[in-house]
């Protein structure tokens, strides 16, 4: 065990096993039609989000510099019409993909980081005081109406993109923490954890090297589902005017349409596209998340 | 054992409530720009009057003392005054409760009825076209921002078709039946939006628990006894599959006072949700705090009720 050759041999073996598992999971994922539809939507949306700065020039989404005729219906000139500043709604939609996905993904990363840490620590030290405190905190955050909390926090912190991300992360980690704690509890009871401890591994090493890799699938599936919720939360905050006024997300477009009188005047082309974009991306994350949950949570697979 | 469980759970709810109260207190103190600076901006007070205001709000005291004062005042029902109008927050909130209870209560009830019925119909005939379309429909509705849905409903049913008023609580019909029908007309569109946004979760929960129960042995036994399909469903399957839905229903009623913030805003419905929006716009923090406190409290109470009734309805849940 102590010679370098055999150590690297174990490492490559476990890497090979991991690769095999990934291949098997990918085969299962491919068989799921909903998951593939979801994945395609996500690839397209991400491509749009990444390429948005190249596709849309800054001047065409600057309210002061827009050249289109304000509030015109969809035509060959502007595919999805224009808003009341004369900006092309299609261009706004492309830019919106970038901001909405960015907020959704980073807020989820924050939530998962908080939730997974709390869940891992709580689960590993189950029954001790630290677990009791963390579980109590988790339970409280699960009970508090998170949307109202998010609104109050966003209103107090002020409307910047970073604050929106922080608020969503703080209000949506609790479910992850609970799931990860439960999973950690069951992994902790497996023989190889005891073996690692007998070999002299400390808590940090056991948690990061032995428990985390086994809990990771659950974290990942849960994270994908959390993105959907995070994007919807961003939309809600934006519609209420708590989003960043300088960052055009899909929710922000809806808010501008709402306050710009799109409803009273029937400018449906200004409102409908961003909503459909939100629905398709949220649905895509949800479908992928369900599929991953089914694949990575063997207990569910037979259903 | 029972008394102990009730005591434990109630105690826990009180701790959660204390946590919310404290959270509220510190959130208010960390915000950029203290409340007095805000007051000064909105009301143009003289420096002397500012110091006086600071004393009245207790902001000249040490933090722990402020905390104690805050707890005492809140528990005695004093939630402060609005920074905009200067009227007590409790009376502002009081005037907004009824419209919210009416809108969210009716909408939630309809969503429960339609969702549960849809879930039973779909889950019992799993894989049928009805099941698939209702399940996909629920997933789409779950992914739909409710405010956006409200805007579409407004454009189509109030704008293009002109069937219903575009917003507000009433057009001013004074009393009696005229007033009731007036309010009812204004209620239709927000209720439609709310029902559509909320029903998906009930449908999905009812469906999945019925699908699970249908695989159980006692359902096969009930069939073997010669009961008709409808009898098996009504007498054996649904009552046993209803527990998760029941919990969800109790919890949902806890959320009623949280209001449908976005929907009320879109339809200018003068309830707690619209009040929240207005408080955000005006940076009226005392009102915002009170709303958070109120909605948290009702959700905490609903959670307690759900927890206790669950134990009562399902004896398998061990009393801890």
């Amino acid at each position: 065990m102590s010679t370098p050759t055999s150590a690297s041999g174990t490492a490559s073996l476990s890497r090979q096993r991991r690769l095999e598992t990934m291949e098997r999971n990918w085969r299962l994922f491919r068989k799921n039609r909903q998951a593939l539809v979801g994945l395609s939507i996500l690839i397209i949306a991400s491509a749009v989000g990444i390429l948005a700065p190249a596709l849309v020039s800054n001047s065409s989404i600057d309210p002061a510099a827009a050249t289109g005729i304000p509030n015109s219906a969809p035509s060959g000139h502007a595919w999805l019409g224009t808003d009341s500043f004369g900006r092309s709604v299609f261009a706004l939609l492309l830019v919106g993909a970038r901001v909405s996905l960015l907020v959704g993904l980073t807020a989820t990363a924050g939530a998962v980081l908080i939730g997974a840490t709390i869940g891992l620590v709580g689960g590993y030290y189950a029954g001790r005081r630290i677990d009791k405190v963390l579980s109590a905190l988790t339970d409280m955050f699960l009970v508090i109406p998170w949307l109202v909390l998010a609104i109050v926090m966003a209103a107090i912190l002020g409307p910047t993109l970073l604050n929106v991300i922080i608020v969503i992360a703080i209000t949506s980690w609790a479910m992850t923490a609970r799931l990860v704690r439960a999973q950690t509890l069951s992994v902790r009871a497996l023989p190889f954890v005891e073996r690692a401890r007998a070999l002299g591994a400390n808590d940090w090493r056991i948690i990061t090297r032995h428990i985390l890799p086994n809990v990771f699938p659950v974290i990942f599936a849960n994270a994908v589902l959390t993105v959907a919720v995070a994007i919807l939360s961003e939309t809600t905050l934006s519609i209420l005017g708590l989003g960043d006024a300088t960052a055009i997300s899909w929710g922000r477009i809806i808010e501008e349409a709402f306050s710009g009188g799109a409803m009273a005047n029937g400018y449906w082309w200004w409102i409908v596209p961003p909503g459909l974009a939100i629905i398709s991306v949220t649905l895509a994350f949800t479908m992928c998340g369900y599929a991953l949950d089914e694949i990575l949570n063997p207990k569910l697979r037979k259903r | 054992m029972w008394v102990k469980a009730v005591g434990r759970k109630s105690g826990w709810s009180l701790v959660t409530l204390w946590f919310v109260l404290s959270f509220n207190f510190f959130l208010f103190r960390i915000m950029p720009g203290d409340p007095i600076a805000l007051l000064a901006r909105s009301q143009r007070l003289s420096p002397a009057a500012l110091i006086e205001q600071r004393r009245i709000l207790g902001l000249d005291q040490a933090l722990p003392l402020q905390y104690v004062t805050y707890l005492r005042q809140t528990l005695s029902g004093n939630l402060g005054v609005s920074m905009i109008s200067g009227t007590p927050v409790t009376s502002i909130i009081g005037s907004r409760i009824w419209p919210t209870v009416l809108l969210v209560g009716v909408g939630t009830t309809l969503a429960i009825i339609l969702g549960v019925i849809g879930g039973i119909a779909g889950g019992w005939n799993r894989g049928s076209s009805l099941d698939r379309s209702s399940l996909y429909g629920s997933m789409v509705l779950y992914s739909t921002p409710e405010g956006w849905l409200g805007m579409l409903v407004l454009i189509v049913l109030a704008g293009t078709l002109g069937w219903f008023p575009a917003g507000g609580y009433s057009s001013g019909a004074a009393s009696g039946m005229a007033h009731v029908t007036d309010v009812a007309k204004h209620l239709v569109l927000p209720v439609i939006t709310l029902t559509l946004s909320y029903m998906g979760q009930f449908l999905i929960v009812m469906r999945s628990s019925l699908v699970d129960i249908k695989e159980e042995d006692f359902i096969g036994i009930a069939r073997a006894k010669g009961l008709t399909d409808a009898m098996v469903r009504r007498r054996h399957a649904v009552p046993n599959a209803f527990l998760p839905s029941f919990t969800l229903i109790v919890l949902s009623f806890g959320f009623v006072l949280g209001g449908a913030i976005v929907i009320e805003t879109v339809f200018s419905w003068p309830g707690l949700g619209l009040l929240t929006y207005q408080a955000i716009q005006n940076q009226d923090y005392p009102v915002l705090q009170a709303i958070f406190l109120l909605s948290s409290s009702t959700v905490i109470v609903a959670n307690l009720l759900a927890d206790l009734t669950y134990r009562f309805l399902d004896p398998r849940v061990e009393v801890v």
Side-chain angles (χ1 to χ4, degrees), chain A residues 170-182:
Chain A
I170 289 183
T171 49
S172 41
W173 58 268
M175 207 59 217
T176 310
R178 178 174 274 191
L179 280 172
V180 171
R181 182 182 177 275

Side-chain angles (χ1 to χ4, degrees), chain B residues 153-210:
Chain B
V153 166
L154 257 182
I155 287 188
V156 177
L157 293 179
T160 314
L161 297 173
W163 290 350
F164 296 100
Y169 182 75
S170 72
S171 315
S175 59
M177 261 334 269
H179 177 70
V180 174
T181 47
D182 186 17
V183 172
K185 267 189 205 160
H186 286 77
L187 193 62
V188 174
L189 295 187
V191 161
I192 290 178
T193 312
L194 213 124
T195 306
L196 285 174
S197 325
Y198 287 14
M199 68 181 275
Q201 49 176 336
F202 297 106
L203 192 144
I204 290 174
V205 167
M206 189 64 221
R207 178 190 176 277
S208 77
S209 61
L210 193 61

Side-chain angles (χ1 to χ4, degrees), chain B residues 25-48:
Chain B
F25 174 81
F26 287 108
L27 211 58
F28 194 51
R29 261 84 194 160
I30 58 157
M31 83 192 166
D34 83 23
I36 292 301
L38 257 159
L39 215 66
R41 233 189 298 149
S42 58
Q43 301 187 346
R44 296 200 183 77
L45 296 174
S46 68

Side-chain angles (χ1 to χ4, degrees), chain B residues 217-296:
Chain B
D217 292 341
F218 69 86
I219 297 295
I221 294 168
R223 279 189 207 288
K225 281 198 305 189
L227 292 184
T228 62
D229 190 57
M231 289 277 262
V232 176
R233 190 186 66 211
R234 206 170 55 232
R235 287 232 202 116
H236 295 271
V238 171
N240 281 295
F242 196 66
L243 209 53
S245 298
F246 178 80
T247 308
L248 186 64
I249 289 169
V250 176
L251 290 181
S252 309
F253 281 111
F255 276 99
V256 166
L257 280 189
I261 299 167
V262 186
I263 293 179
E264 286 188 10
T265 303
V266 169
F267 290 96
S268 317
W269 184 261
L272 290 166
L274 185 63
L275 181 65
T276 311
Y277 179 72
Q278 290 160 340
I280 295 169
Q281 299 293 311
N282 299 327
Q283 297 189 303
D284 198 345
Y285 295 113
V287 172
L288 219 47
Q289 272 192 303
I291 290 170
F292 176 52
L293 203 59
L294 179 69
S295 56
S296 302

Side-chain angles (χ1 to χ4, degrees), chain A residues 143-194:
Chain A
V143 168
I144 296 172
W146 58 272
L147 183 60
V148 186
L149 175 63
I151 287 168
V152 171
M153 282 179 66
I156 285 176
L157 293 174
T160 68
L161 209 55
L162 183 65
N163 283 343
V164 169
I165 292 169
I166 292 174
V167 163
I168 296 175
I170 289 183
T171 49
S172 41
W173 58 268
M175 207 59 217
T176 310
R178 178 174 274 191
L179 280 172
V180 171
R181 182 182 177 275
Q183 191 73 10
T184 305
L185 269 179
S186 61
V187 171
R188 195 187 63 153
L190 295 176
F192 66 83
V193 173
E194 193 153 342

Side-chain angles (χ1 to χ4, degrees), chain A residues 121-136:
Chain A
V121 171
Y124 186 75
Y125 296 110
R128 299 218 212 145
R129 180 166 294 161
I130 180 150
D131 172 45
K132 285 187 178 144
V133 171
L134 292 179
S135 291

Side-chain angles (χ1 to χ4, degrees), chain B residues 42-115:
Chain B
S42 58
Q43 301 187 346
R44 296 200 183 77
L45 296 174
S46 68
L50 276 182
I51 293 169
E52 176 64 11
Q53 277 298 323
R54 201 177 283 275
R55 199 188 55 76
I56 290 172
L57 289 174
L59 291 170
D60 55 346
Q61 294 169 325
L63 208 60
L65 210 62
Q66 284 187 39
Y67 181 65
V68 174
T69 315
Y70 161 80
L71 283 185
R72 208 178 42 227
Q73 288 191 340
T74 309
L75 292 178
S76 63
N78 177 4
L79 298 174
V81 294
S82 158
M83 282 186 175
I84 305 304
S85 62
T87 38
V89 172
T90 37
S91 73
I92 298 178
I93 293 222
S95 67
R96 300 296 192 106
I97 287 181
W98 166 243
T100 286
V101 169
L102 184 63
L103 168 61
V104 189
V106 171
T108 306
T109 309
L110 281 176
I112 291 168
I113 295 172
L114 294 175

